[in-house]
Amino acid sequence: MASAIVVVLAAVLGLVVGSFLNVVVWRVPRGESLSHPASHCPTCDHPIRPWDNIPLLSWLILRGKCRDCSAPIAVRYPLVELGGGVFFAVTAWWATASGALGGWETTASTVALLLALAAYLYLAAISIALALIDLETQRLPNVIVLPAYLVVGVLLTASALVGGAPESLIPAAIGMAAMYVFYFVLAFAGGMGFGDVKLAGVLGLALGFLGYGNLAVGVFAAFALGGLFAIAMLIARRGGRKTRIPFGPWMLAGAWVGIFMGDILFSGYLRLFGLG
């Protein structure tokens, strides 16, 4: 029952956060303030009324058009809101119903679970924003990436200490350092951007906290997914060998494969070779 309530609340929160992420994706690459001016129609500049800013519902009620000038509102806006709701709900289910971050047995375990969940929900939110920004601009803004070290690090540290499992911080620190160094070497060799390097440390922190298996799967999945996408583009003749492909979205996608399924996939891999 508690897990179901958390999942529903997370879904609602995800819809609201998704609405804000639309602002982030538009304004951050342009160096604009997130708070001023208030949300407005980019065509007629009329401020958006509060009742026209309800996630999903407002777009449906307005039939995808501005109330004042009838300019079309891109379908991406409700899709990002919906994506935020679904992503948050799935993350909350993984964290609570599946027992990935512990259980509800004691007050301490409950607080530890919710603190860790907050860290991964934060990661989910910036994952959406960073993936969309990187696809559009081939940039991973420092203003989003760098604060994640502090937010995710503090929440996971608090979770480990409250839950009585400070040892989980060791693989988290190793994961952060290992992924940062690995991507730094790739960037130094000319194969990655330094935005990818900064993001790698955050993802290594989140993956390592769950275990070395999750970390390994998260790293491998990023290159596997990115490679498959590159091959598909070549086959479809949508790009060539010199076509630049933003790697941030694949780093993020691979990391979430590692977060959600890393322990299962890594255990299966070990059993396949008689090591598990």
Side-chain angles (χ1 to χ4, degrees):
M1 183 62 179
S3 295
I5 293 174
V6 171
V7 170
V8 172
L9 291 176
V12 174
L13 177 62
L15 291 173
V16 176
V17 170
S19 182
F20 176 69
L21 291 178
N22 279 314
V23 178
V24 173
V25 170
W26 175 262
R27 297 191 183 188
V28 167
R30 294 165 177 79
E32 300 176 4
S33 170
L34 294 177
S35 58
H36 181 80
S39 297
H40 59 279
C41 172
T43 301
C44 68
D45 285 332
H46 195 286
I48 297 177
R49 300 164 181 83
W51 52 87
D52 287 339
N53 209 20
I54 303 173
L56 285 181
L57 292 179
S58 292
W59 190 88
L60 294 172
I61 293 172
L62 293 172
R63 298 181 180 180
K65 296 181 180 180
C66 172
R67 183 184 295 275
D68 298 287
C69 68
S70 298
I73 303 172
V75 71
R76 189 186 78 176
Y77 288 92
L79 288 180
V80 170
E81 293 167 352
L82 179 61
V86 172
F87 201 174
F88 271 42
V90 172
T91 302
W93 177 88
W94 160 79
T96 59
S98 70
L101 295 178
W104 308 94
E105 295 83 5
T106 66
T107 300
S109 66
T110 298
V111 173
L113 186 157
L114 294 177
L115 285 168
L117 172 58
Y120 288 99
L121 289 179
Y122 179 86
L123 183 63
I126 66 170
S127 293
I128 295 173
L130 289 171
L132 292 174
I133 291 173
D134 200 19
L135 286 171
E136 291 184 356
T137 68
Q138 295 193 1
R139 290 178 53 228
L140 294 167
N142 287 338
V143 71
I144 298 177
V145 175
L146 296 184
Y149 281 92
L150 178 62
V151 176
V152 175
V154 168
L155 287 171
L156 291 182
T157 298
S159 174
L161 296 178
V162 171
E167 66 277 3
S168 61
L169 297 176
I170 297 175
I174 292 175
M176 179 177 67
M179 279 193 69
Y180 188 96
V181 171
F182 176 59
Y183 274 86
F184 183 87
V185 172
L186 292 178
F188 188 77
M192 293 286 171
F194 280 95
D196 298 329
V197 176
K198 297 167 190 173
L199 176 60
V202 177
L203 299 180
L205 174 63
L207 286 163
F209 183 79
L210 300 173
Y212 294 113
N214 300 77
L215 177 64
V217 170
V219 174
F220 175 79
F223 289 94
L225 293 172
L228 289 173
F229 178 75
I231 292 171
M233 286 192 65
L234 287 172
I235 294 175
R237 297 183 179 180
R238 296 292 298 273
R241 293 183 178 180
K242 296 184 178 181
T243 301
R244 294 194 54 152
I245 300 174
F247 196 61
W250 305 114
M251 292 175 65
L252 292 161
W256 282 101
V257 170
I259 290 170
F260 288 149
M261 299 184 292
D263 52 347
I264 298 174
L265 294 176
F266 191 70
S267 297
Y269 175 82
L270 293 179
R271 287 195 298 272
L272 181 66
F273 290 93
L275 301 174

